[in-house]
């Protein structure tokens, strides 16, 4: 699945929300009450080492920021995600051992959050470009698993 | 039988009561046709579906979107037996319309996104959880009579 030029453009626009007039908003995405742990409780199994798994807790928010940083960083490497995400893939495959099915869950919640925060900008075209990108991202992240 | 908490029941009733069917129905279906273009295979006689703008402006898509969304009313009113409520519709989709049941999940995802966009911050994680659980039951029931 290749990202067309217009897909890449759309995704970079979404990423650029952090550097344009919408700057406060994309940083808000970092702080959107993390919904994955609430809506898909099975994801909590990866975080038994945190005492507090409620949405507002410090480790949860911090981790949301870490993951979002990874996604935004991947936008920069959109033209060669496999190479760009090599290290992260190795991390997820050999150390974190996150079941790749969870990447789909995260991607879905990413789309929901974007729709909530940017209802007018998250048109169907932006939706499909972002969905494709996130799917490619998940694929690149899963590469080192086996 | 599916167990619903009081919160889930109240949330589902509330979301659908406040919903603008004329807006959400067309938006959800047209979004599905754009984001998952293979779903267009079922709408060969709908005319111009060549690009996103055409799909979103297509009156047949809009009308059908409203029909589909109103189809959910039955489940909202009969949350305690959605499976039986949709038995007939499931046969229709399987035998007559021949819709791949995976498409129900795709439309449900698009509906979730549209409702999230309309509700904004009110679409909390708990509301999302209840809404997705409801749609999952609907999707499963619609797929039940496929043999």
């Amino acid at each position: 699945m290749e990202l067309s030029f217009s897909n890449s453009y759309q995704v970079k626009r979404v990423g650029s929300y952090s550097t344009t007039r919408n700057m406060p908003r994309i940083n808000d995405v970092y702080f959107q009450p993390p919904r994955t742990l609430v809506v898909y409780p099975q994801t909590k199994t990866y975080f038994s080492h945190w005492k507090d798994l409620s949405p507002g807790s410090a480790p949860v928010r911090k981790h949301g920021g870490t993951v979002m940083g990874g996604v935004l960083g991947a936008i920069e490497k959109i033209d060669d995600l496999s190479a760009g995400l090599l290290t992260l893939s190795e991390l997820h495959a050999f150390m974190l051992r996150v079941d790749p099915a969870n990447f789909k869950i995260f991607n879905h919640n990413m789309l929901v959050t974007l729709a909530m925060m940017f209802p007018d900008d998250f048109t169907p075209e932006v939706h499909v470009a972002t969905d494709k990108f996130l799917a490619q991202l998940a694929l690149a992240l899963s590469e080192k698993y086996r | 039988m599916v167990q619903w908490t009081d919160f889930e029941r109240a949330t589902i009733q509330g979301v659908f009561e406040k919903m603008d069917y004329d807006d959400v129905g067309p938006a959800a279906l047209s979004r599905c046709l754009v984001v998952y273009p293979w779903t267009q295979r079922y709408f060969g006689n709908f005319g111009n579906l060549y690009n996103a703008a055409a799909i979103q402006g297509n009156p047949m898509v809009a009308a059908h979107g409203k029909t589909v969304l109103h189809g959910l009313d039955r489940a909202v009113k009969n949350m305690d037996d959605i499976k039986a409520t949709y038995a007939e519709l499931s046969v229709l989709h399987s035998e007559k319309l021949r819709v791949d049941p995976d498409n129900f999940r795709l439309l449900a995802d698009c509906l979730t996104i549209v409702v999230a966009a309309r509700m904004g911050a009110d679409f909390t994680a708990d509301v999302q959880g209840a809404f997705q659980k409801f749609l999952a039951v609907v999707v499963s029931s619609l797929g039940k009579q496929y043999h």
Side-chain angles (χ1 to χ4, degrees):
Chain A
M1 181 179 22
E2 284 268 304
L3 285 170
S4 72
F5 176 75
S6 79
N7 287 162
S8 301
Y9 170 73
Q10 300 277 27
V11 172
K12 283 178 184 158
R13 263 190 62 222
V14 171
S16 80
Y17 286 169
S18 67
T19 54
T20 65
R21 57 192 159 83
N22 283 319
M23 164 123 86
R25 309 295 316 283
I26 196 76
N27 285 325
D28 287 348
V29 178
Y30 283 67
F31 300 118
Q32 275 286 313
R35 41 189 66 224
T36 300
L37 297 174
V38 176
V39 181
Y40 301 91
Q42 68 268 29
T43 56
K44 291 198 283 197
T45 55
Y46 291 96
F47 304 104
S48 48
H49 52 287
W50 292 342
K51 264 186 304 211
D52 185 359
L53 284 170
S54 61
S57 78
V60 172
R61 284 175 169 268
K62 180 160 174 276
H63 194 63
T66 306
V67 176
M68 261 313 290
V71 173
L72 288 178
I75 297 180
E76 306 294 314
K77 306 171 188 142
I78 202 171
D79 294 314
D80 192 352
L81 284 173
S82 296
L85 293 174
L86 195 67
T87 326
L88 273 176
S89 181
E90 285 174 348
L91 175 74
H92 285 76
F94 303 124
M95 288 213 52
L96 303 175
R97 303 243 168 98
V98 177
D99 187 325
N102 294 291
F103 301 152
K104 287 205 181 92
I105 290 177
F106 173 79
N107 290 349
H108 173 73
N109 284 332
M110 187 74 240
L111 295 172
V112 167
T113 305
L114 285 172
M116 282 170 59
M117 296 194 64
F118 308 104
D120 299 317
D121 292 307
F122 199 62
T123 62
E125 293 101 310
V126 173
H127 179 165
V128 65
T130 312
D131 192 22
K132 278 174 78 173
F133 165 71
L134 290 173
Q136 290 278 60
L137 177 55
L139 214 59
L141 223 47
S142 317
E143 265 201 39
K144 289 289 161 201
Y145 273 67
R146 55 176 176 174
Chain B
M1 208 190 78
V2 182
Q3 304 294 335
W4 302 101
T5 65
D6 290 338
F7 171 80
E8 285 164 349
R9 283 183 199 276
T11 299
I12 298 305
Q13 301 301 320
V15 169
F16 280 88
E17 249 155 51
K18 291 192 210 93
M19 199 184 286
D20 180 356
Y21 283 69
D22 292 340
D23 165 39
V24 173
L29 183 61
S30 58
R31 187 167 285 254
C32 190
L33 294 172
V34 172
V35 179
Y36 308 108
W38 54 94
T39 55
Q40 292 169 26
R41 77 187 289 273
Y42 302 107
F43 303 103
N45 61 336
F46 270 31
N48 186 357
L49 298 177
Y50 295 131
N51 53 47
I55 291 171
Q56 286 167 271
N58 186 312
M60 289 181 79
V61 171
H64 194 65
K66 288 182 215 171
T67 304
V68 170
L69 193 59
H70 277 293
L72 288 178
D73 287 342
R74 276 185 256 186
V76 176
K77 294 197 181 69
N78 288 299
M79 283 176 70
D80 286 315
D81 201 355
I82 295 180
K83 197 164 70 173
T85 306
Y86 279 145
E88 229 185 273
L89 267 178
S90 179
V91 172
L92 174 79
H93 284 76
S94 145
E95 307 283 308
K96 197 158 163 270
L97 304 175
R98 302 215 187 267
V99 178
D100 182 339
D102 194 57
N103 292 292
F104 304 146
R105 188 183 52 82
L106 299 178
L107 181 59
D109 280 349
C110 284
L111 183 58
T112 304
I113 300 267
V114 171
V115 169
R118 300 294 181 270
M119 289 181 68
D122 290 338
F123 197 66
T124 62
D126 294 316
V127 169
Q128 181 182 349
F131 193 67
Q132 288 189 183
K133 178 176 165 181
F134 172 75
L135 288 181
V137 174
V138 167
V139 165
S140 162
S141 306
L142 277 174
K144 262 284 171 320
Q145 302 303 327
Y146 278 66
H147 303 298

